[in-house]
Amino acid sequence: MMEEEELEFVEELEAVLQLTPEVQLAIEQVFPSQDPLDRADFNAVEYINTLFPTEQSLANIDEVVNKIRLKIRRLDDNIRTVVRGQTNVGQDGRQALEEAQKAIQQLFGKIKDIKDKAEKSEQMVKEITRDIKQLDHAKRHLTTSITTLNHLHMLAGGVDSLEAMTRRRQYGEVANLLQGVMNVLEHFHKYMGIPQIRQLSERVKAAQTELGQQILADFEEAFPSQGTKRPGGPSNVLRDACLVANILDPRIKQEIIKKFIKQHLSEYLVLFQENQDVAWLDKIDRRYAWVKRQLVDYEEKYGRMFPREWYMTERIAVEFCHVTRAELAKIMRARAKEIEVKLLLFAIQRTTNFEGFLAKRFSGCTLTDGTLKKLESPPPSTNPFLEDEPAPEIEELAIEKGELDQPKKPKVPDNPFHGIVSKCFEPHLYVYIESQDKNLGELIDRFVADFKAQGPPKPNTDEGGAVLPSCADLFVYYKKCMVQCSQLSTGEPMIALTTIFQKYLREYAWKILSGNLPKTTTSGGGLTISSLLKEKEGSEVAKFTLEELCLICSILSTAEYCLATTQQLEEKLKEKVDVSLTERINLTGEMDTFSTVISSSIQLLVQDLDAACDPALTAMSKMQWQNVEHVGDQSPYVTSVILHIKQNVPIIRDNLASTRKYFTQFCIKFANSFIPKFITHLFKCKPISMVGAEQLLLDTHSLKMVLLDLPSIGSQVVRKAPASYTKIVVKGMTRAEMILKVVMAPHEPLVVFVDNYIKLLTDCNTETFQKILDMKGLKRSEQSNMLELLRQRLPTPPSGAEGSSSLSLMAPTPEQESSRIRKLEKLIKKRL
């Protein structure tokens, strides 16, 4: 009973002492302990087992019990001390709270007293400074009144003096006085409601109006619109009048400038009237010589009369340019039929030189025509076509050198006067464009004639295939035309010139490149009648000569050069033309034409080497492979194929040394053509004995090694073949080797043979399997069982693949197509 009561007491105690996890965590953080007795999940059994792990340890049980009792006694003492210490805590806390409340009340009372004293001090300061503020306001108002009265006195006196000086034309004093009166009058804008102030303002405006009319009358008298200028030159009165005009309404200044420039250029309009001989383009130099003399004359006579900030010399030159542009446009419209290319370019050259002279002499700050553009210096480039060279002299290429004395265009980074006169020539640039069309046509014809006269380029295997010199000549001429036209205009004429460029790029590709490619004797993989006759007589298939191979490579290199340079030409044209017209410049079609020439050249090279290997493959298919008794060295047909490869490939590689990527394309295309054809002829080798299959396997391996070495065959420098080419050769020739391995395998048992076929040939199908059975010489009755077994063993194609397979069966494969061509060749031979 005692034990049961103790257990119930322990359970009740544990229920009372069960703490929440948050409280337990807080206790552990405040009183960290490693003692197992302090843990919340204390287990008495585990703790006892820890103290007495073995029976021998029970010998110390009394000592352990004494330690635990001592610990319990200490805990009881600590608890008792804490409980006693908390007896008076509540009373002490209440006492401390009351003392704090009393201290807060005392502090609040002191703060209130300080606030009251501060308010009283502020009120006292306001009473003391009230009189001082009144005195400050009085002083400020008095100062303003005195200043205003002084300004009013100055304004009234200034207006009287201004009116008197205006009547006496004392413009020098008026210039200084008027500016001061205007400055003083600005202080009275807020007093315009006062009648006297408003009256003074009106008198100032009236004086300004009178001054403006009077100065205009003085200039009209000194420089009448009709008649000659007053002798004796400018006077000091007019010089001072210009200073006054600077202060008056800007329209007065503009009127003075306009009338003076008009009077100054009146002689020019008379001398260069439309009906005068000197007005035509061949004497355009005289116009610019006249204005240069006039500018010098102005500087000597009137340079000091007008203020420097009026830029009168530049204004005269700009107005002369506007008048000249209008006059030239009018006379060229009237005599458009008389404009020749030589004359037009002469006039444009002289005009651009004059514009360059203006750019050196003046800053262009008076230009008001927003349509005028500034030249942009081209960015530096390492491109030979885009190299930064001085602009070529503007001259007609058809005329003899030295006929025109043409100084180089001034090298200035910025010419604000560009086009200020020469803009008038733009509507007539069609004459220049038509001339370039004619010249380019003659140039292309000369290229054709030179090629026929000189013949194909000489073989040169040391430096690679040479680019035809005519191609460089064509693009040099293009560059000169482009620079010339961009100096004349960057608008529609540049688009017209681009169209001409496109036309003759295509003609060059057709007449010079495509037109001179050697004609192949084969067409679509079949032979012509002449080649069949030669083959029948026992001669070899016609091949390209060494000169023809070099010519094809040279044309290919030229087409590549033209392709790259045409792209550069397009970029340069877009830089030269207006931004709004860049979208209309597109030479993609011409670049595609040169790409077609490159593809045709590569195809010719492939067809030539492919056709040279055809007799050897034909000989392979006609050998009696069932009669081969032993395996020896490589067969004669392999030697023949290797011989043709060693003859052609080194020549092609050396002549395409500058265009390695196209030599790689040639190798890839040849491999893609030769390997399927080799497999097709391989299927024709039937029946084959075991020894014959081994010989064929040896030959196939020899061809595979030769093809892998094709890019560097016959070269002293051995280079690793491109990975793309190696992958094609390995894949194709490995398939040929797998076919022969299947042929070599015994066909019994049938299941093992079929499984071996499926395993070796990843693209296995019934058609290929039947060809292999034909190579083994099996009868049709035996083949039917094996074909049926193959259909059962083949993996089932996924849904949707049946339609694609049926379509693939409908379309002839390259092997089937080649077989049909061979049948046609045999039929033609029989009839012959």
Side-chain angles (χ1 to χ4, degrees):
M1 290 296 293
M2 291 290 292
E3 292 179 356
E4 291 179 358
E5 291 177 359
E6 289 180 359
L7 290 174
E8 291 177 359
F9 175 74
V10 170
E11 291 176 357
E12 291 176 359
L13 184 61
E14 289 180 353
V16 172
L17 296 179
Q18 190 69 29
L19 303 177
T20 61
E22 293 79 4
V23 175
Q24 187 65 38
L25 180 62
I27 293 173
E28 291 178 357
Q29 292 177 352
V30 176
F31 303 105
S33 175
Q34 300 297 329
D35 194 345
L37 296 173
D38 295 335
R39 295 178 59 85
D41 54 348
F42 175 75
N43 191 328
V45 176
E46 292 181 359
Y47 182 69
I48 292 173
N49 290 334
T50 303
L51 294 176
F52 306 106
T54 60
E55 293 182 0
Q56 290 78 7
S57 60
L58 292 175
N60 300 327
I61 189 171
D62 295 334
E63 183 179 353
V64 172
V65 170
N66 292 332
K67 288 182 180 180
I68 292 176
R69 287 176 178 173
L70 179 61
K71 191 171 185 178
I72 292 172
R73 193 177 302 112
R74 289 177 180 174
L75 286 175
D76 291 339
D77 294 340
N78 292 338
I79 292 171
R80 188 180 304 108
T81 303
V82 171
V83 171
R84 290 177 180 176
Q86 294 297 323
T87 303
N88 300 325
V89 168
Q91 184 177 356
D92 295 341
R94 284 191 296 273
Q95 184 177 356
L97 180 61
E98 291 175 358
E99 292 177 356
Q101 289 175 348
K102 291 179 181 179
I104 291 172
Q105 290 177 357
Q106 293 175 1
L107 180 60
F108 181 76
K110 291 179 180 180
I111 292 173
K112 185 176 180 182
D113 292 342
I114 293 172
K115 183 178 179 182
D116 294 340
K117 291 179 180 180
E119 291 177 353
K120 291 179 181 179
S121 300
E122 183 180 1
Q123 186 65 27
M124 187 182 299
V125 171
K126 286 182 179 180
E127 292 177 357
I128 294 172
T129 58
R130 184 182 298 118
D131 296 336
I132 297 175
K133 288 183 178 180
Q134 290 178 354
L135 291 174
D136 288 341
H137 290 315
K139 180 182 177 180
R140 189 181 304 112
H141 295 159
L142 183 60
T143 303
T144 303
S145 300
I146 294 173
T147 304
T148 304
L149 287 174
N150 287 335
H151 287 166
L152 181 60
H153 180 265
M154 293 169 58
L155 180 61
V159 171
D160 294 338
S161 300
L162 182 63
E163 292 173 346
M165 292 177 182
T166 300
R167 289 191 294 271
R168 293 192 298 270
R169 284 182 165 77
Q170 297 177 348
Y171 295 131
E173 291 79 1
V174 168
N176 296 326
L177 180 60
L178 180 59
Q179 186 63 51
V181 170
M182 297 295 296
N183 293 337
V184 172
L185 190 59
E186 290 180 359
H187 295 283
F188 290 94
H189 282 323
K190 55 186 177 182
Y191 303 118
M192 287 300 171
I194 301 173
Q196 291 80 1
I197 302 299
R198 186 168 59 252
Q199 183 180 2
L200 287 174
S201 176
E202 291 173 353
R203 288 176 62 188
V204 172
K205 291 180 180 178
Q208 287 178 325
T209 304
E210 183 180 356
L211 274 172
Q213 295 173 354
Q214 187 171 296
I215 291 173
L216 289 176
D218 291 343
F219 270 94
E220 182 66 27
E221 181 181 357
F223 305 103
S225 300
Q226 296 180 353
T228 58
K229 294 174 284 188
R230 173 182 293 181
S235 64
N236 293 332
V237 174
L238 295 180
R239 183 183 61 188
D240 295 338
C242 291
L243 298 177
V244 177
N246 261 340
I247 306 172
L248 297 175
D249 190 340
R251 287 177 293 182
I252 303 297
K253 169 185 170 183
Q254 294 173 4
E255 187 68 20
I256 294 173
I257 294 173
K258 180 179 178 182
K259 287 186 176 182
F260 179 82
I261 294 177
K262 182 178 180 182
Q263 191 276 338
H264 215 66
L265 296 178
S266 58
E267 180 185 352
Y268 172 71
L269 295 175
V270 175
L271 290 176
F272 294 91
Q273 287 183 2
E274 186 177 351
N275 56 359
Q276 300 294 327
D277 291 339
V278 293
W280 189 229
L281 300 180
D282 57 346
K283 296 181 177 60
I284 198 171
D285 279 341
R286 299 189 181 183
R287 293 177 180 268
Y288 305 132
W290 181 89
V291 75
K292 290 177 182 179
R293 291 193 302 271
Q294 290 298 314
L295 293 177
V296 173
D297 181 67
Y298 166 81
E299 290 289 347
E300 293 177 354
K301 293 183 179 180
Y302 307 103
R304 297 182 180 180
M305 187 177 74
F306 295 99
R308 183 179 298 273
E309 62 270 16
W310 284 22
Y311 301 103
M312 286 299 295
T313 310
E314 181 176 330
R315 291 181 186 275
I316 293 172
V318 170
E319 183 62 24
F320 166 81
C321 292
H322 292 322
V323 172
T324 302
R325 184 174 63 184
E327 291 296 319
L328 288 176
K330 182 170 64 174
I331 194 172
M332 283 192 292
R333 282 196 301 268
R335 303 171 63 177
K337 295 182 180 179
E338 302 178 28
I339 300 177
E340 298 177 352
V341 175
K342 175 181 174 181
L343 180 62
L344 179 65
L345 291 178
F346 170 79
I348 293 174
Q349 184 269 329
R350 292 294 189 259
T351 302
T352 52
N353 284 350
F354 177 70
E355 292 173 350
F357 163 77
L358 294 180
K360 288 182 177 180
R361 181 71 172 77
F362 306 114
S363 63
C365 59
T366 62
L367 292 174
T368 57
D369 188 357
T371 61
L372 296 180
K373 298 175 297 182
K374 297 183 178 181
L375 291 179
E376 297 180 358
S377 56
S381 174
T382 57
N383 190 328
F385 188 80
L386 305 178
E387 62 187 353
D388 186 13
E389 295 180 351
E393 300 173 0
I394 302 182
E395 60 181 0
E396 172 57 39
L397 293 177
I399 65 176
E400 297 180 359
K401 294 183 179 179
E403 189 172 348
L404 297 178
D405 181 19
Q406 297 181 349
K408 292 184 178 180
K409 187 179 177 183
K411 286 187 177 180
V412 290
D414 214 358
N415 185 357
F417 295 93
H418 177 68
I420 191 171
V421 180
S422 58
K423 199 80 173 177
C424 65
F425 298 110
E426 186 168 326
H428 304 278
L429 286 179
Y430 66 89
V431 178
Y432 171 78
I433 300 299
E434 291 174 356
S435 172
Q436 298 306 324
D437 189 3
K438 179 181 177 182
N439 292 339
L440 282 169
E442 295 174 353
L443 190 64
I444 294 294
D445 293 339
R446 180 165 64 84
F447 290 160
V448 174
D450 291 346
F451 191 91
K452 291 180 179 179
Q454 298 174 3
K458 302 301 180 182
N460 185 3
T461 59
D462 295 332
E463 300 179 359
V467 176
L468 298 179
S470 59
C471 141
D473 295 341
L474 177 67
F475 283 103
V476 168
Y477 188 87
Y478 272 11
K479 179 180 179 181
K480 190 168 187 178
C481 293
M482 178 183 64
V483 175
Q484 286 178 350
C485 191
S486 65
Q487 291 175 345
L488 307 179
S489 171
T490 56
E492 288 294 335
M494 283 292 288
I495 302 299
L497 184 67
T498 302
T499 304
I500 299 298
F501 286 173
Q502 291 175 303
K503 172 184 175 182
Y504 288 102
L505 282 174
R506 292 191 296 269
E507 286 203 10
Y508 186 84
W510 295 333
K511 294 182 178 180
I512 308 298
L513 301 182
S514 295
N516 289 305
L517 283 174
K519 301 299 185 291
T520 179
T521 57
T522 59
S523 176
L527 300 177
T528 61
I529 295 178
S530 60
S531 65
L532 288 174
L533 287 173
K534 291 181 180 180
E535 185 177 353
K536 185 176 182 181
E537 294 170 0
S539 60
E540 294 184 356
V541 177
K543 289 179 56 179
F544 288 141
T545 62
L546 175 61
E547 290 77 11
E548 289 175 331
L549 287 177
C550 292
L551 174 60
I552 295 173
C553 294
S554 180
I555 290 175
L556 192 153
S557 301
T558 304
E560 187 211 13
Y561 174 84
C562 292
L563 176 63
T565 314
T566 301
Q567 184 177 3
Q568 298 162 5
L569 175 64
E570 179 183 13
E571 295 172 357
K572 192 63 178 177
L573 285 170
K574 289 183 177 180
E575 291 179 9
K576 295 288 186 182
V577 80
D578 291 341
V579 177
S580 58
L581 300 177
T582 52
E583 296 297 330
R584 295 174 60 182
I585 294 180
N586 186 359
L587 303 184
T588 304
E590 288 65 40
M591 288 187 276
D592 291 342
T593 301
F594 289 117
S595 298
T596 302
V597 174
I598 293 173
S599 299
S600 301
S601 302
I602 295 175
Q603 191 61 34
L604 277 178
L605 297 173
V606 172
Q607 288 179 0
D608 179 60
L609 182 56
D610 206 17
C613 296
D614 279 347
L617 296 180
T618 304
M620 177 190 76
S621 61
K622 292 180 179 180
M623 288 181 64
Q624 301 297 322
W625 293 101
Q626 74 275 17
N627 298 330
V628 177
E629 297 179 354
H630 62 276
V631 179
D633 294 335
Q634 62 187 24
S635 302
Y637 74 90
V638 176
T639 305
S640 176
V641 170
I642 295 175
L643 177 63
H644 289 304
I645 290 176
K646 288 185 176 180
Q647 287 177 350
N648 282 31
V649 173
I651 297 174
I652 296 172
R653 181 184 60 245
D654 293 340
N655 281 274
L656 295 181
S658 59
T659 55
R660 294 290 303 178
K661 63 178 181 179
Y662 293 117
F663 175 69
T664 302
Q665 287 188 21
F666 159 76
C667 294
I668 291 174
K669 286 189 176 182
F670 174 73
N672 283 328
S673 174
F674 176 80
I675 294 175
K677 186 178 293 186
F678 173 74
I679 294 176
T680 300
H681 283 78
L682 196 63
F683 284 133
K684 295 180 181 180
C685 299
K686 54 186 178 181
I688 304 177
S689 63
M690 178 66 68
V691 178
E694 291 178 357
Q695 180 65 48
L696 271 175
L697 185 61
L698 175 64
D699 295 341
T700 302
H701 181 72
S702 299
L703 286 175
K704 178 180 178 181
M705 300 310 296
V706 170
L707 289 176
L708 287 174
D709 192 43
L710 181 70
S712 60
I713 193 169
S715 174
Q716 296 179 354
V717 180
V718 179
R719 294 183 179 179
K720 185 178 180 181
S724 56
Y725 170 77
T726 304
K727 182 178 179 181
I728 292 172
V729 173
V730 170
K731 181 179 179 181
M733 296 305 290
T734 301
R735 183 172 185 270
E737 292 175 341
M738 294 301 104
I739 290 173
L740 291 174
K741 288 183 178 180
V742 174
V743 172
M744 292 169 58
H747 59 277
E748 290 182 354
L750 299 181
V751 175
V752 175
F753 179 75
V754 171
D755 290 343
N756 189 38
Y757 166 73
I758 295 174
K759 178 181 178 182
L760 293 177
L761 292 177
T762 56
D763 56 342
C764 55
N765 53 60
T766 55
E767 184 179 356
T768 304
F769 187 64
Q770 187 168 4
K771 291 179 180 180
I772 292 175
L773 297 180
D774 290 338
M775 292 174 68
K776 293 178 69 67
L778 297 179
K779 297 179 180 180
R780 291 294 178 180
S781 58
E782 296 175 332
Q783 293 183 12
S784 59
N785 296 330
M786 302 179 75
L787 287 172
E788 183 63 28
L789 180 61
L790 174 66
R791 293 189 184 97
Q792 297 175 0
R793 307 287 291 183
L794 282 176
T796 304
S799 59
E802 295 178 359
S804 61
S805 63
S806 63
L807 289 176
S808 63
L809 291 175
M810 292 173 62
T813 62
E815 298 172 354
Q816 293 173 340
E817 189 67 25
S818 178
S819 177
R820 292 178 183 177
I821 293 171
R822 290 300 178 189
K823 291 179 181 178
L824 179 61
E825 292 171 5
K826 291 179 181 180
L827 180 61
I828 294 174
K829 287 180 183 179
K830 290 179 181 179
R831 292 188 178 183
L832 290 173

